[in-house]
């Protein structure tokens, strides 16, 4: 049979689900180019990259979790938790890099714990990570003794948050490129990426085909926690301050929205990391658009909500 | 009444991206007729049924869909249901956590003063099921009932909605012989009430038990429609596969007595479970032999397989691989020791629906063909194409999503994923479920080939002729215990039935 190797054409709906976020992103950029004054300039690009980079880390992590069939709403608190560890470390005279590693390892350990509870004990991911969101926030505030840390005096924080290369290129661009490459590589090219999709698609079948499902799920929540921690460090440096009550609040919603808009199935089993990246940029760009046009901030949430509902409506499955 | 046409379809076509699933097919069903749709895997039977039930829309064109004398065009399953067309799928679309009665009357509940009239509903449900010969507590949760009972519930549900045409797409594939007989009695009762049935199965003998006529499809085209009285089995198969079928039917197993003397590669000793699903299973599997496991549904065949494969770790007793007792923690451990297990439940435990054929087929060997955790897509594709050719998997390509393959072709992909691991012992649980006669023959040949090359096979099947044709030895289970064993020339359907019946008397 010769026709075996032929590539089958995609239906319109499939194209839309697969590349919808990229198309929408292009549309949003075009819209801004026409409407928003001063939009088409390199400065806008740098601004978007600077703002998007931290949340992009979380969104990539969320893509892993959601395509494995779970969800992680503790990531916003995880940001602050990592931030407080680093802040306490450096304000007590510690080495910045060292304390960043300590923070990320701590986040990773909590992620492993989350994954273990979900995979081995069978706790519902939504409930567990909701509880963790509250607990981690509480721990963070306790550790901070409720005070806000101003970190502008630390050279590493300033560099990581505010340094610009010649041509006003923000330092964040390095991390922006790195996380995109890493996310795409792992989900497209590695065994782990396939296993994550398999577990999300049919956990029983995955187990029976020799996938170590418990390990995969633990890995996924660990990745999510570490990327959320990284997001926290980057965001803290960008603000040059840490407010333990506020840092990362509701970030998980933007991340989830980015993933949903990107075309990753909320039921698991289908990861679309390029879509997630586009989805994340859409979320940030909506904020920018609203800002630059002087529309009240609250309006951006309504626009975001509309886009999410639209994305989910397209993804819905026909029921039998 | 017999001669009144109930459903007539003319020039129906259906195109999926890259596949023409139906090409101008036509057929007629009369009132009270029991019609079989026959054809190989991927012939288009399920697609046609999904068009009749409004799940798919046919290609626009000159085609016609006449039901009860009127031209109709159901746009979804609800509209088809209102017309009087009901389907019983193999994977039942019931609500497991509602009661039996609620399932029958869901969306159609008797009301009193605007509230659900529970008493009437439960009484009606009880009566409706009694009509079908089923006497159960209708207030019990549906999920506590067996598949057979659940199927009866979905039939009762269809009848509660004034159904004129009942469609069963491979509805019998997870029932045992006794349950199938009960189902057929129901079909005959319905027939006397003028209700027509369309019936799809790959078990040849079944259609001769209930059907009046058969419409045959091949590669999306209509082949013929004949009353079964003019359609002996051999002719039917020939029409289905499009060539002479005699060599397919007249096969006999050649026994190799040495196989029973070869070294023992796996031993199960006194395996029991606290829930009494297994009460002392003993097996010895020799190198290169095909050992059949027979018994009724619930006799412990699948449970035994899952214990051996490390999917079920809560048991007492011992499993030996070679000389050493071993307790696998999970299937991945068992695979490392050269085991493979093809589950009977394709949908729940087999396929990754939205992943490609290629990913589905190579999931078991991904870690082997990857280096440093990085996928080798070229190797994945090579292995996939190898099996697509070897056992004729009908798919547009390796990157097609497996959910878009016909049921039988999905099964072939799942089977291939295990053959690709080159195991020492492969456990096949109902491996030919949903596979057409031609492909069954090919798979039987394949099993013979692998066992001759020294791989042992533990073969679980509810179809006795299959066991008879393939096994060197058969162990019969009943209530989670061995009740008998047959080897080589002793094996025959009657002998197996005899042991099963005897086992039933004993316990
Ligand atoms: N949703 C779909 N998208 C693309 N192709 C499809 C889809 N559904 C079915 N097909 C293709 O249409 C053809 C007919 O499939 P169908 O499921 O009707 O076969 P079948 O006769 O029921 O086979 P089986 O006996 O194996 O169940 C197959 O080639 C299948 O790959
Ligand atoms: Mg079918």
């Amino acid at each position: 049979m010769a026709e075996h190797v032929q590539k089958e054409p995609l239906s319109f709906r499939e194209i839309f689900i697969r590349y919808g976020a990229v198309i929408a992103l292009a549309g949003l950029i075009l819209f801004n180019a026409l409407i928003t004054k001063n939009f088409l300039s390199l400065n806008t690009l740098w601004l978007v990259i600077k703002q998007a980079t931290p949340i992009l880390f979380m969104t990539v992590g969320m893509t892993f979790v959601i395509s494995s069939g779970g969800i992680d709403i503790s990531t916003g608190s995880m940001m602050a938790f990592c931030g407080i560890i680093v802040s306490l470390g450096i304000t007590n005279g510690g080495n910045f890099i060292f304390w960043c590693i300590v923070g990320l390892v701590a986040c990773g350990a909590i992620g492993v714990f989350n994954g273990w509870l979900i995979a081995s004990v069978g706790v519902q991911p939504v409930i567990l990570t909701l509880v963790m969101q509250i607990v981690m926030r509480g721990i963070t505030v306790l550790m901070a003794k409720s005070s806000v840390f101003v970190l502008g005096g630390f050279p590493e924080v300033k560099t990581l948050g505010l340094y610009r290369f010649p041509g006003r290129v923000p330092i964040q661009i390095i991390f922006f490129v790195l996380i995109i490459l890493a996310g795409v590589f792992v989900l497209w090219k590695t065994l782990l990426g396939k296993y994550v999709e398999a577990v999300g698609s049919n956990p029983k079948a995955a187990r029976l085909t020799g996938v170590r499902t418990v390990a995969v799920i633990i890995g996924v929540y660990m990745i999510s926690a570490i990327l959320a921690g990284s997001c926290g460090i980057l965001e803290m440096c960008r603000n040059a301050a840490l407010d333990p009550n506020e840092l990362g609040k509701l970030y998980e919603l933007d991340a989830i929205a980015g993933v949903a808009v990107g075309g990753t199935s909320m039921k698991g089993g289908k990861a679309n990391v390029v879509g997630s990246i586009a989805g994340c940029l859409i979320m940030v760009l909506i904020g920018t658009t609203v800002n630059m046009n002087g529309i009240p901030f609250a309006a951006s949430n309504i626009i975001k909500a509309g886009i999410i509902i639209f994305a989910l409506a397209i993804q819905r499955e026909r029921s039998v | 009444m017999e001669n009144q046409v109930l459903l007539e379809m003319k020039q129906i076509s259906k195109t999926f991206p890259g596949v023409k699933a139906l090409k101008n097919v036509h057929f007629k069903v009369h009132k009270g007729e029991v019609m079989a749709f026959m054809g190989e895997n991927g012939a288009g039977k399920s697609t046609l049924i999904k068009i009749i039930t409004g799940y798919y829309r046919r290609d626009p064109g000159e085609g016609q869909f006449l039901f009860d004398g009127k031209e109709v065009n159901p746009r979804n399953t609800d509209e088809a249901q209102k017309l009087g067309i009901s389907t019983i799928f193999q994977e039942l679309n019931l609500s497991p956590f509602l009661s039996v009665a609620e399932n029958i009357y869901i969306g159609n509940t008797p009301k009193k003063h605007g509230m659900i009239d529970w008493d009437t509903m439960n009484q009606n449900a009880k009566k409706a099921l009694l009509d079908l010969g089923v006497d159960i507590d209708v207030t019990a949760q549906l999920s506590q009932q067996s598949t057979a009972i659940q199927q009866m519930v979905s039939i009762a549900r269809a009848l509660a909605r004034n159904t004129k045409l009942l469609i069963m797409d491979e509805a019998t594939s997870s029932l045992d012989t006794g349950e199938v007989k009960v189902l057929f009695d129901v079909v005959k009762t319905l027939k006397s009430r003028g209700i027509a049935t369309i019936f799809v199965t790959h078990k040849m003998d079944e259609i001769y038990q209930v059907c009046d006529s058969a419409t045959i499809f091949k590669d999306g085209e209509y082949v013929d429609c004949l009353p079964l009285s003019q359609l002996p089995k051999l002719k039917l198969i020939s029409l289905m596969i499009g060539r002479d079928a005699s060599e397919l039917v007249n096969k006999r197993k050649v026994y190799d007595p040495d196989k029973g003397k070869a070294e023992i590669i796996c031993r199960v000793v006194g395996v029991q479970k606290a829930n009494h699903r297994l009460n002392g299973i003993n097996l010895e599997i020799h190198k290169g032999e095909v050992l059949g496991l027979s018994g009724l549904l619930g006799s412990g065949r699948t449970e035994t397989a899952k214990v051996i494969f490390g999917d079920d770790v809560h048991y007492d007793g011992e499993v030996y691989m070679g000389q050493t007792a071993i307790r696998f923690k999970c299937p991945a451990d068992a695979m490392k020791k050269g085991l493979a297990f093809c589950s009977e439940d394709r949908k729940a435990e087999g396929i990754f629906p939205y992943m490609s054929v290629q990913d589905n087929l190579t999931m078991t060997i991904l870690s082997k063909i990857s280096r440093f955790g990085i996928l080798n897509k070229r190797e994945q594709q090579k292995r996939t194409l190898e099996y697509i050719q070897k056992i004729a998997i009908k798919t547009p390509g390796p990157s097609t999503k497996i959910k878009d393959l016909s049921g039988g072709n999905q099964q072939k992909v799942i089977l291939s994923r295990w053959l690709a691991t080159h195991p020492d012992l492969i456990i096949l649980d109902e491996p030919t479920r949903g596979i057409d006669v031609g492909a069954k023959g090919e798979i039987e040949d394949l099993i013979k080939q692998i066992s001759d090359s020294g791989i042992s096979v533990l073969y679980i099947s509810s179809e006795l002729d299959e066991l008879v044709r393939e096994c060197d030895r058969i162990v019969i289970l009943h209530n989670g215990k061995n009740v008998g064993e047959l080897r080589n020339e002793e094996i025959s359907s009657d002998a197996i039935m005899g042991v099963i019946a005897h086992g039933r008397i004993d316990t």
Side-chain angles (χ1 to χ4, degrees):
Chain A
M1 290 192 216
E3 72 239 301
H4 277 148
V5 245
Q6 113 199 13
K7 262 229 152 91
E8 63 276 26
L10 294 170
S11 74
F12 177 73
R13 203 168 138 250
E14 270 178 88
I15 292 177
F16 213 87
I17 290 179
R18 202 175 292 180
Y19 305 111
V22 179
I23 299 169
L25 180 62
L28 196 59
I29 291 173
L30 193 70
F31 171 82
N32 270 306
L34 296 175
I35 300 292
T36 311
K37 264 194 225 117
N38 303 328
F39 181 79
L40 275 189
S41 73
L42 272 180
N43 276 340
T44 320
L45 178 65
W46 303 143
L47 177 71
V48 169
I49 286 181
K50 199 171 163 185
Q51 283 183 347
T53 300
I55 183 91
L56 196 54
F57 274 70
M58 189 192 287
T59 309
V60 169
M62 196 65 81
T63 309
F64 278 91
V65 177
I66 289 180
S67 53
S68 80
I71 193 147
D72 187 352
I73 49 183
S74 68
T75 49
S77 299
M78 201 67 80
M79 283 174 68
F81 176 66
C82 191
I84 193 63
I85 291 178
V86 178
S87 299
L88 284 174
I90 58 175
T91 47
N92 288 314
N95 175 289
F96 178 76
I97 305 275
F98 174 77
W99 283 100
C100 282
I101 293 172
V102 172
L104 293 178
V105 169
C107 288
I110 293 168
V112 168
F113 178 66
N114 285 347
W116 177 74
L117 280 178
I118 288 165
S120 293
V121 183
V123 187
Q124 283 285 324
V126 189
I127 306 295
L128 175 72
T129 56
L130 176 64
V131 170
M132 290 310 279
Q133 180 191 66
I134 299 164
V135 171
M136 300 305 296
R137 180 67 67 186
I139 292 176
T140 305
V141 173
L142 277 181
M143 283 168 76
K145 301 208 178 68
S146 294
S147 57
V148 173
F149 287 70
V150 179
L151 304 168
F154 293 92
E156 298 92 339
V157 173
K158 260 173 89 177
T159 311
L160 205 53
L162 307 169
Y163 181 77
R164 285 175 185 272
F165 296 112
R168 299 193 44 76
V169 182
I171 187 165
Q172 278 83 358
I173 195 153
I174 300 175
F175 301 101
F176 184 81
V177 172
L178 272 182
I179 188 64
I180 290 179
L181 290 180
V184 169
F185 176 76
V186 174
L187 279 166
W188 282 8
K189 300 277 177 203
T190 69
L191 213 51
L192 178 65
K194 275 285 170 267
Y195 284 171
V196 168
E197 282 191 326
V199 170
S201 174
N202 187 345
K204 265 194 195 158
R207 183 178 142 84
L208 285 173
T209 43
V211 178
R212 295 182 186 270
T213 48
V214 174
V216 170
I217 292 174
I218 289 178
V220 155
Y221 282 90
M222 184 182 84
I223 290 173
S224 170
I226 291 176
L227 291 181
S230 317
C231 171
I233 295 174
L234 289 170
E235 195 68 347
M236 178 181 86
C237 291
R238 194 168 71 91
N239 300 337
L242 170 81
D243 182 344
N245 274 305
E246 286 303 319
L247 182 70
K249 225 172 211 176
L250 295 184
Y251 271 49
E252 61 277 350
L253 293 190
D254 268 6
I256 293 168
V259 174
V261 169
T264 293
S265 163
M266 286 289 125
K267 285 191 223 117
K270 213 170 32 162
N272 187 340
V273 62
V274 174
S276 293
I277 294 163
C280 174
L281 291 176
I282 290 174
M283 290 299 138
V284 173
L285 207 54
I286 290 173
T288 317
T289 309
V290 164
N291 233 329
M292 290 176 80
N293 286 302
I295 305 170
F297 174 72
S300 78
N301 285 340
I302 298 176
I303 300 173
K304 282 181 194 172
I307 291 184
I308 296 164
I309 291 173
F310 179 69
L312 292 180
I314 291 196
Q315 279 184 36
R316 91 199 186 286
E317 293 303 326
R318 287 184 68 159
S319 56
V320 178
Chain B
M1 192 158 95
E2 277 282 314
N3 292 323
Q4 236 173 308
V5 176
L6 176 67
L7 167 68
E8 177 164 17
M9 299 192 92
K10 292 183 208 163
Q11 298 202 302
I12 302 291
S13 298
K14 176 73 193 174
T15 314
F16 293 111
V19 193
K20 191 130 202 206
L22 291 173
K23 299 164 205 156
N24 272 325
V25 303
H26 59 93
F27 70 92
K28 263 185 227 173
V29 180
H30 298 88
K31 288 196 175 155
E33 185 177 27
V34 183
M35 155 86 75
F37 277 3
M38 302 299 291
E40 291 176 294
N41 295 132
K45 306 176 296 288
S46 298
T47 305
L48 185 53
I49 282 172
K50 285 177 181 161
I51 290 174
I52 303 173
T53 54
Y55 185 78
Y56 287 149
R57 312 292 303 277
R58 62 186 158 89
D59 291 352
E62 63 268 49
Q64 254 188 332
F65 180 168
L66 298 164
F67 190 73
D68 229 0
K70 285 189 293 286
E71 169 136 25
V72 296
N73 243 330
R75 276 170 303 173
N76 52 47
T77 37
D78 281 347
E79 284 190 20
Q81 178 72 257
K82 288 209 182 83
L83 290 168
I85 302 173
S86 295
T87 326
I88 318 293
F89 287 105
Q90 182 191 341
E91 290 92 17
L92 298 157
N93 46 341
L94 299 170
S95 315
F97 300 115
L98 295 182
S99 76
V100 170
E102 283 169 302
N103 265 291
I104 296 178
Y105 290 103
I106 192 167
N108 191 17
T109 37
K111 300 238 169 69
K112 204 158 80 185
H113 315 305
M115 313 255 279
I116 295 177
D117 182 354
W118 291 98
D119 289 342
T120 312
M121 183 167 100
N122 288 338
Q123 277 161 22
N124 289 354
K126 184 91 191 168
K127 193 168 156 295
L129 282 172
L130 278 177
D131 279 353
L132 301 177
V134 178
D135 186 7
I136 53 166
D137 174 12
V138 294
T139 57
Q141 215 180 16
L142 182 78
S143 59
Q144 291 165 1
Q145 311 294 335
S146 70
T147 319
I149 298 283
Q150 295 195 22
Q151 232 152 29
M152 289 300 170
V153 171
S154 50
I155 293 175
R157 168 155 91 167
L159 298 181
R161 282 144 212 247
N162 187 27
T163 290
K164 296 171 189 155
L165 173 65
L166 194 64
I167 303 178
M168 300 196 211
D169 192 354
E170 302 196 31
T172 54
S173 59
S174 36
L175 304 186
D176 73 22
T177 352
E179 292 167 331
V180 169
K181 200 176 157 303
V182 175
L183 182 71
F184 287 174
D185 288 342
V186 169
V187 170
K188 284 173 194 155
T189 319
L190 300 183
K191 180 181 166 66
S192 66
R193 290 202 235 156
I195 296 173
T197 306
I198 294 178
F199 193 76
V200 181
T201 181
H202 287 292
K203 300 184 191 168
M204 288 293 156
D205 299 330
E206 287 183 359
I207 68 161
Y208 288 94
Q209 292 170 35
V210 278
C211 298
D212 303 312
S213 51
T215 304
I216 299 134
F217 301 95
K218 180 166 172 51
D219 296 330
E221 288 177 62
Y222 169 90
V223 177
D224 209 344
C225 178
L226 288 166
L228 282 180
S229 52
Q230 297 168 26
L231 195 60
K233 192 162 156 183
L234 211 56
K235 180 171 175 194
L236 172 59
I237 298 177
S238 304
L239 285 174
M240 281 171 60
I241 64 177
R243 64 193 146 86
D244 186 29
S246 26
E247 108 274 9
L248 248 146
V249 179
N250 302 324
K251 250 190 287 186
R252 256 231 60 84
K253 172 102 184 170
V254 188
Y255 298 107
D256 175 358
D258 288 344
K259 280 190 176 171
K261 298 187 197 105
E263 65 177 303
I264 294 171
I265 63 151
C266 175
R267 208 143 52 91
V268 176
V269 183
V271 165
Q272 308 186 347
K273 280 180 66 66
N275 62 8
H276 297 292
R277 304 281 300 229
L278 297 179
N279 303 305
I281 299 276
N282 296 292
L283 296 175
E284 285 179 351
I285 306 168
H286 298 265
K287 187 172 159 59
E289 79 170 339
V290 182
L291 173 62
L293 272 191
S294 183
L296 300 177
L297 234 58
S299 56
R301 296 167 304 176
T302 299
E303 280 88 348
T304 305
K306 291 198 161 175
V307 163
I308 299 176
F309 195 57
D311 186 38
D312 183 348
V313 294
H314 305 288
Y315 63 90
D316 299 318
E318 292 296 344
V319 175
Y320 291 84
M321 296 301 294
Q323 295 305 314
T324 40
I326 209 160
R327 272 192 108 88
F328 297 123
K329 285 200 207 67
C330 64
D333 288 346
M335 285 168 67
K336 278 221 181 97
K337 293 281 180 204
L339 264 62
F341 169 59
C342 182
S343 163
E344 64 178 329
D345 192 337
R346 182 168 65 228
K347 192 175 172 204
E349 301 185 337
I351 63 169
F352 304 107
Y354 288 92
M355 296 175 81
S356 64
V357 167
Q358 176 171 317
D359 286 342
N360 268 283
L361 198 150
T362 53
M363 191 60 75
T364 47
I365 51 169
L366 269 190
S367 58
K368 261 188 240 162
I369 60 178
S370 310
R371 287 184 70 198
F372 311 118
I374 297 169
L375 297 173
N376 182 345
K377 298 208 175 168
R378 180 165 306 158
E379 187 65 23
Q380 266 187 292
Q381 177 163 12
K382 197 182 117 206
R383 303 278 178 116
T384 308
L385 289 171
E386 178 189 328
Y387 282 96
I388 285 178
Q389 240 142 50
K390 210 177 200 166
I391 58 173
I393 302 171
K394 215 172 144 193
T395 167
S399 57
T400 306
K401 291 196 187 104
I402 196 168
K403 75 173 178 60
D404 290 341
L405 265 52
S406 79
N409 284 299
Q410 292 180 6
Q411 183 66 16
K412 290 186 188 175
V413 173
I414 302 301
L415 204 55
S416 307
R417 83 158 53 131
W418 291 112
L419 297 176
T421 63
H422 299 296
D424 299 323
L425 167 60
I426 182 167
I427 307 170
L428 301 173
D429 197 354
E430 307 282 357
T432 59
R433 173 172 288 175
I435 286 189
D436 68 46
V437 259
K440 252 179 215 169
E442 285 155 27
I443 286 173
E444 284 175 17
D445 290 347
L446 203 69
I447 290 173
K448 181 163 172 10
Q449 250 177 50
I450 61 174
S451 74
D452 285 347
S453 72
I455 297 173
S456 316
V457 181
L458 184 60
Y459 197 96
I460 303 175
S461 177
S462 306
E463 291 188 59
L464 297 184
D465 353 342
E466 238 176 81
L467 288 174
V468 171
R469 272 200 304 273
E470 303 209 18
C471 298
D472 297 296
R473 200 151 61 85
I474 293 178
V475 167
I476 294 117
L477 305 185
H478 186 70
N479 280 342
K481 270 206 304 267
N482 303 44
V483 290
E485 180 178 326
L486 302 165
R487 62 176 65 227
N488 297 358
E489 278 77 13
E490 293 165 15
I491 297 173
S492 71
S493 300
D494 292 339
I496 300 173
M497 290 297 277
V499 179
I500 292 179
H502 191 245
R504 200 146 42 164
I505 295 161
D506 274 2
T507 43

